Amino acid sequence: MAIGRNQPCPCGSNKKFKHCCANTVAAQQSHTARAKASPASRSQTDSSCYLPTDTGLWVRVPDSLELITPYVLREQRHWFEKEVNFVKTVLSPGEMVLDIGANYGLYALDIAQIIGKEGHL
């Protein structure tokens, strides 16, 4: 199910999709991937949503304000723990990183942006 250009943006900005996130590459890729997925591959009870981060990436999380990750991402658009900023300061392009215990991939997404195509995650 693709998001129409005139529908509200899923990021929660209260703007039309075409005036908000439609032009970002990450948004286009995530919405295209969802649109191409066959109905059989999606659960009828799938209540997940895509939320934008402050780095321009989109994360798929459960659509529930009762869980901490979706709540924080909706409110702040980034993860609040100090470790995220520490990780960002010690990494450089081309490095090899092992991320163990990823939940929704917030650390992995930031790490991948930093280490780039030359790096390994």
Side-chain angles (χ1 to χ4, degrees), residues 4-98:
R5 292 173 36 80
N6 290 316
Q7 291 180 324
C9 188
C11 76
S13 66
N14 293 327
K15 296 180 183 178
K16 289 184 178 182
F17 182 63
K18 67 182 178 184
H19 294 299
C20 190
C21 299
N23 294 325
T24 64
V25 174
Q28 290 172 352
Q29 290 174 345
S30 67
H31 295 304
T32 302
R34 287 179 66 191
K36 289 181 180 178
S38 67
S41 68
R42 289 191 303 246
S43 167
Q44 294 290 0
T45 60
D46 181 17
S47 60
S48 62
C49 63
Y50 290 86
L51 297 177
T53 66
D54 60 344
T55 58
L57 299 172
W58 290 69
V59 181
R60 183 178 178 180
V61 295
D63 191 14
S64 171
L65 292 178
E66 294 179 8
L67 301 171
I68 187 74
T69 303
Y71 182 84
V72 170
L73 287 178
R74 276 194 172 99
E75 183 181 83
Q76 300 178 14
R77 297 184 94 168
H78 68 275
W79 195 239
F80 62 91
E81 294 177 335
K82 293 179 182 178
E83 291 85 358
V84 174
N85 292 327
F86 170 74
V87 168
K88 290 179 182 181
T89 62
V90 298
L91 294 176
S92 58
E95 289 191 321
M96 182 182 297
V97 181
L98 179 62

